[in-house]
Amino acid sequence: MNKLTLRRPDDWHLHLRDGAVLEAVLPETARHFGRAIIMPNLVPPVVTLQDAIAYRDRIAAAGRDDMRFQPLMTLYLTENTTVEQIEEAAASDVVTAVKLYPAGATTNSQSGVRDVANVMPQLEAMARAGLQLCVHGEVTAHDVDIFDREAVFIDRVLEPLRQNLPELRVTMEHVTTRDGVDYVMGSSQNLACTITTHHLIINRNHLLVGGIRPHLYCLPIAKREEHRRALVDAAISGDARVFLGTDSAPHTDPNKESACGCAGVFSATNTIQLLAHVFEQEGALDQLEAFASLNGPAWYGLPANEDRITLVKGEAPVRFPDKIETGADGPVTVFDPGFEVFWDIAD
Ligand SMILES: NC(=O)N[C@@H](CC(=O)O)C(=O)O
Ligand SMILES: [Zn+2]
Ligand SMILES: [Zn+2]
């Protein structure tokens, strides 16, 4: 097969940032995707409905007038978020989900939640109102190894929360382990997960063998090959609880190529082409539409996009830009999968 038409995909986990970086990276997503869940980890974070409306308007202003891309907004859950703020957001048609960052777990998570017990009234209000929770699923305890933080989060935080509040719909974002996939696949209700493009492609050797590669450093950190394998199996399974969230997370080169580099992989530019490559390698191109275009909207109670994109496999490798320029702060490096890709999107 060298041609494939699918419903236009959506991205259920995306960082667009603000200002010059927003302007630079927005076209990279808007070119291929219909909608995306926009992460709220700005500084200061997107906490209230008013913050979300203002951010949505800045995204619209940064896009071209003919931009059809639709940002789906989220709120950043803090221990100071009130039940009234949750109810106000749930009643609006602006906010699609609320995001839980364990405090200190990842980029701009200082305002996050130290203990889920401190936000139970807010989570109960979400369950009542049918507002979904998106979770960065890693513990932050210093005695837990960075490679174990996702699995420990399931045991210590996620499973107890779901026992307490089974009505809450939870998306475990950017799962990186067999433990995460097994946990989602083994659940009976109200739990789904997203998987990133890069976690389907790299394991921890890619990050660390032969020199440290800061542009492959993200959180949760890439794990052993056996975990990558479990992610691929889940992505190509067609299971309705598993869908694409790229976690495309731009940081400028000076902030990545540093003695203490930021976490985040920027993959908006080449995600769809790379996914076609990965799914073809697995003999599973027929499952790409479920993963990228159908399962996500179904989980969020939205219709799939009406329009379609066509992927074409050519003879020559596709040339992607190495970097996206953002102006004064320096460029953002595009995810390099380490192999050639022959699938591209026909306009
Ligand atoms: N994934 C990352 O490594 N970084 C994300 C934050 C996140 O999604 O955890 C970012 O905002 O840069
Ligand atoms: Zn995260
Ligand atoms: Zn993210």
Side-chain angles (χ1 to χ4, degrees):
M1 186 152 58
N2 54 19
K3 198 171 171 197
L4 180 68
T5 296
L6 0 145
R7 296 271 191 162
R8 183 174 294 282
D10 301 304
D11 185 351
W12 301 95
H13 179 140
L14 176 67
H15 300 270
L16 286 178
R17 315 298 190 205
D18 223 336
V21 174
L22 166 62
E23 282 186 31
V25 302
L26 178 59
E28 301 304 298
T29 288
R31 192 176 298 135
H32 299 151
F33 292 90
R35 297 163 289 196
I37 290 258
I38 308 302
M39 287 295 128
N41 61 334
L42 306 180
V43 187
V46 177
V47 174
T48 65
L49 173 62
Q50 288 68 36
D51 295 339
I53 291 170
Y55 187 28
R56 183 196 62 184
D57 292 348
R58 293 199 297 281
I59 295 168
R64 294 180 4 184
D65 289 344
D66 60 352
M67 183 174 79
R68 286 172 308 168
F69 171 72
Q70 187 191 359
L72 304 173
M73 308 311 292
T74 58
L75 296 190
Y76 187 125
L77 182 62
T78 77
E79 294 189 358
N80 298 319
T81 298
T82 63
V83 166
E84 292 70 33
Q85 285 170 335
I86 295 290
E87 288 171 345
E88 183 188 34
S92 80
D93 56 6
V94 175
V95 172
T96 302
V98 173
K99 174 74 188 238
L100 188 158
Y101 291 101
T106 187
T107 305
N108 300 338
S109 61
Q110 315 81 275
S111 316
V113 172
R114 281 167 299 147
D115 186 339
V116 169
N118 297 337
V119 291
M120 279 314 288
Q122 295 89 323
L123 296 174
E124 286 161 7
M126 289 172 57
R128 277 197 303 278
L131 189 57
Q132 305 218 18
L133 184 70
C134 293
V135 182
H136 179 108
E138 289 191 289
V139 294
T140 57
H142 294 293
D143 60 338
V144 179
D145 189 274
I146 187 169
F147 290 98
D148 299 333
R149 288 181 170 199
E150 183 171 296
V152 173
F153 182 87
I154 295 169
D155 292 342
R156 288 192 192 167
V157 183
L158 191 52
E159 176 58 17
L161 168 61
R162 294 184 58 250
Q163 294 278 346
N164 271 339
L165 200 52
E167 314 82 59
L168 183 67
R169 282 167 72 79
V170 179
T171 306
M172 206 184 155
E173 298 191 279
H174 49 40
V175 286
T176 59
T177 57
R178 178 177 295 284
D179 313 70
V181 162
D182 286 351
Y183 182 64
V184 172
M185 297 294 208
S187 77
S188 56
Q189 60 165 358
N190 290 348
L191 182 64
C193 66
T194 60
I195 301 179
T196 77
T197 311
H198 53 283
H199 287 115
L200 293 174
I201 293 172
I202 61 164
N203 62 36
R204 65 196 207 180
N205 279 14
H206 296 95
L207 174 68
L208 296 169
V209 171
I212 189 161
R213 292 190 179 69
H215 296 290
L216 301 185
Y217 173 62
C218 71
L219 291 169
I221 198 160
K223 308 294 194 299
R224 287 176 179 276
E225 174 60 13
E226 67 178 280
H227 294 290
R228 188 195 69 85
R229 193 57 246 169
L231 300 178
V232 171
D233 289 340
I236 66 174
S237 70
D239 191 296
R241 294 166 293 190
V242 181
F243 45 89
L244 174 64
T246 66
D247 193 17
S248 181
H251 293 276
T252 57
D253 283 357
N255 289 326
K256 292 288 290 176
E257 299 168 5
S258 149
C260 185
C262 294
V265 168
F266 178 73
S267 63
T269 305
N270 52 4
T271 271
I272 295 297
Q273 299 91 330
L274 294 178
L275 289 174
H277 178 97
V278 169
F279 277 63
E280 183 186 42
Q281 294 274 301
E282 298 294 327
L285 269 176
D286 58 333
Q287 296 296 347
L288 180 57
E289 187 176 42
F291 179 69
S293 315
L294 301 178
N295 294 346
W299 170 253
Y300 278 97
L302 297 167
N305 291 313
E306 280 298 330
D307 62 330
R308 289 170 165 78
I309 62 165
T310 296
L311 285 150
V312 179
K313 189 178 181 186
E315 299 290 325
V318 181
R319 307 290 252 175
F320 300 111
D322 295 337
K323 296 174 191 295
I324 303 297
E325 296 298 333
T326 74
D329 293 336
V332 170
T333 291
V334 175
F335 173 52
D336 176 3
F339 50 74
E340 291 186 326
V341 178
F342 296 85
W343 286 95
D344 208 355
I345 291 158
D347 290 319

